Amino acid sequence: MDASYFAVQRRALEIVGFDPSNPQLSLKHPIWAGILVLSLVSHNWPMVVYGLQDLSDLTRLTDNFAVFMQGSQSTFKFLVMMAKRRRIGSLIHRLHELNQAASATPNHLEKIERENQLDRYVARSFRNAAYGVICASAIAPMLLGLWGYVETGVFTPTTPMEFNFWLDEQNPHFYWPIYFWGVLGVAAAAWLAIATDTLFSWLTHNVVIQFQLLELVLEEKHLDGGDSRLGEFVSRHRIALDLAKELSSIFGEIVFVKYMLSYLQLCMLAFRFSRSGWSAQVPFRATFLVAIIIQLSSYCYGGEYLKQQSLAIAHAVYGKCNWPEMTPKKRRLWQMVIMRAQRPAKIFGFMFDVDLPLLLWVIRTAGSFLALLRTFER
């Protein structure tokens, strides 16, 4: 496997302080991780207070609450990863070992590389969108300030986000600390989201690989009902199902919180663009909206992909088994394998399955709430 294998996820985990080479995913830099969480918490509550100061200003309220939700989600993701880091590290290294063992066969290695290439498309898309949010939050205030300086001769300080900080941003001595702390808060939310969400994508695609390798086994071996081949297939199928179940258990709380808030977050971000006017917030909100859409889509796509690939095992078994030559006893055993494969592996968020219908529900609900906000505005 090439150098790009697990590269995005490894770098993302290292940035937020974890050691991905450790089977227990230990926290290598706890002080740095604490600074990131502190920067998130120190921005979240001032933004809520600022948004609630004037409830008649819906734009200010929705702008601040959309970012507050993302900061809260990133903090929650980090806490979940800390609580489950041993299980996450164990799952990562177990998949590494399975991929390493399977890569000895050329066609298996090709399948592994293809799926990891697909994961890189998804992970890099979200990573680049998240870094776009960081860049927009850092560059837009500077450009607007410089533009004001060119026109009026006075540099007008603006912060990456609108909120009441405990220092006066109009004071030249305080502006730059506030500015850099604001950019760090945005970067912390983005880095923690990248670490969690790209890891989910990699884990999903590599669990899918285990189901796809089962299909290759069916193609390579003539299934005449032999006990050894049936036992081997059932054992490998059980491993794939257990991996999928562990993945769902690890990310269950994360996807539950994310999708319970996602429709509100989407409608609040979209509300900004239903209003005319320009400010330093517009580039930041635009890139933020794109990142959130990619984030939600990647989770739903991963859940749907896992479900469909696990269901494909039933069709593969039915198509590859030599049914006429099987004894009735062996036929019934393979039928039981098909019946088990017809119950798909899935990502479960306590109240819903994470799949494409969930994404459609989120978009519809966000649209309904956006219409409600527009009604309140009138």
Side-chain angles (χ1 to χ4, degrees):
M1 288 174 281
D2 56 23
S4 59
Y5 173 78
F6 196 62
V8 176
Q9 292 76 16
R10 182 186 300 108
R11 181 57 181 160
L13 289 170
E14 290 173 348
I15 288 176
V16 298
F18 288 104
D19 181 10
S21 63
N22 190 308
Q24 295 187 345
L25 197 65
S26 60
L27 193 61
K28 189 176 181 180
H29 303 290
I31 296 177
W32 171 243
I35 292 174
L36 295 180
V37 174
L38 176 62
S39 67
L40 281 174
V41 174
S42 65
H43 284 87
N44 278 348
W45 294 111
M47 292 181 68
V48 172
V49 173
Y50 181 70
L52 293 175
Q53 283 178 345
D54 185 5
L55 295 178
S56 63
D57 189 349
L58 286 180
T59 301
R60 184 168 79 172
L61 179 66
T62 54
D63 279 357
N64 282 275
F65 267 80
V67 180
F68 166 74
M69 288 179 183
Q70 186 59 43
S72 300
Q73 288 180 47
S74 294
T75 305
F76 180 73
K77 289 176 181 179
F78 176 78
L79 295 177
V80 171
M81 288 189 67
M82 282 295 299
K84 299 184 178 182
R85 64 186 184 277
R86 291 181 177 84
R87 292 172 61 187
I88 295 173
S90 176
L91 182 58
I92 291 172
H93 282 77
R94 190 178 182 190
L95 287 169
H96 283 327
E97 292 171 357
L98 290 171
N99 290 345
Q100 190 67 35
S103 62
T105 306
N107 57 342
H108 290 195
L109 176 61
E110 181 182 356
K111 184 70 71 174
I112 294 171
E113 291 178 343
R114 190 187 73 82
E115 281 301 313
N116 278 274
Q117 180 64 41
L118 186 59
D119 162 65
R120 284 193 290 274
Y121 291 144
V122 177
R124 287 174 178 173
S125 296
F126 176 67
R127 181 200 62 185
N128 295 341
Y131 274 106
V133 176
I134 299 174
C135 293
S137 69
I139 295 173
M142 292 293 98
L143 291 180
L144 287 178
L146 291 174
W147 180 258
Y149 180 78
V150 170
E151 289 190 334
T152 64
V154 179
F155 179 80
T156 305
T158 56
T159 54
M161 295 176 291
E162 295 178 356
F163 60 96
N164 283 343
F165 212 72
W166 50 82
L167 298 175
D168 182 11
E169 66 184 47
Q170 300 298 324
N171 188 323
H173 297 289
F174 296 146
Y175 171 71
W176 290 110
I178 295 174
Y179 170 80
F180 284 115
W181 191 251
V183 174
L184 179 61
V186 175
W191 287 333
L192 292 173
I194 292 170
T196 308
D197 300 341
T198 60
L199 180 61
F200 174 83
S201 175
W202 184 87
L203 290 172
T204 302
H205 282 86
N206 282 271
V207 171
V208 164
I209 287 173
Q210 309 312 313
F211 289 102
Q212 293 182 344
L213 294 181
L214 273 176
E215 295 187 46
L216 290 180
V217 169
L218 291 174
E219 294 175 0
E220 294 165 357
K221 297 184 178 180
H222 180 68
L223 299 181
D224 57 0
D227 290 338
S228 61
R229 290 169 181 171
L230 175 61
E232 177 189 357
F233 182 88
V234 170
S235 176
R236 296 184 64 166
H237 189 210
R238 189 184 184 104
I239 290 174
L241 291 171
D242 288 343
L243 291 171
K245 183 179 179 180
E246 178 69 359
L247 173 62
S248 178
S249 176
I250 289 172
F251 281 87
E253 295 87 355
I254 291 175
V255 296
F256 174 75
V257 172
K258 168 169 287 298
Y259 284 96
M260 290 301 290
L261 298 177
S262 59
Y263 58 90
L264 290 174
Q265 193 175 23
L266 274 180
C267 80
M268 289 179 177
L269 287 170
F271 183 72
R272 153 67 71 172
F273 299 100
S274 67
R275 304 288 301 274
S276 60
W278 176 267
S279 71
Q281 299 292 307
V282 172
F284 169 68
R285 306 292 169 176
T287 53
F288 189 20
L289 179 59
V290 172
I292 292 299
I293 292 174
I294 295 175
Q295 184 184 51
L296 294 174
S297 301
S298 66
Y299 272 88
C300 291
Y301 157 76
E304 183 71 23
Y305 192 39
L306 176 62
K307 181 173 70 174
Q308 296 301 328
Q309 289 297 316
S310 64
L311 285 172
I313 297 298
H315 299 283
V317 172
Y318 181 80
K320 299 299 180 181
C321 280
N322 190 1
W323 300 103
E325 296 184 7
M326 285 186 185
T327 63
K329 179 181 177 181
K330 299 300 183 185
R331 191 179 297 130
R332 283 193 296 271
L333 290 175
W334 281 105
Q335 286 173 345
M336 292 176 64
V337 173
I338 293 176
M339 292 172 63
R340 177 60 188 89
Q342 288 174 334
R343 288 187 287 142
K346 55 189 177 182
I347 307 299
F348 184 61
F350 297 112
M351 296 177 62
F352 45 77
D353 295 335
V354 180
D355 50 17
L356 293 181
L358 177 63
L359 180 61
L360 181 60
W361 175 84
V362 168
I363 295 173
R364 286 177 173 175
T365 309
S368 299
F369 273 83
L370 178 59
L372 181 63
L373 284 175
R374 294 299 303 274
T375 303
F376 286 157
E377 183 185 22
R378 297 191 190 100

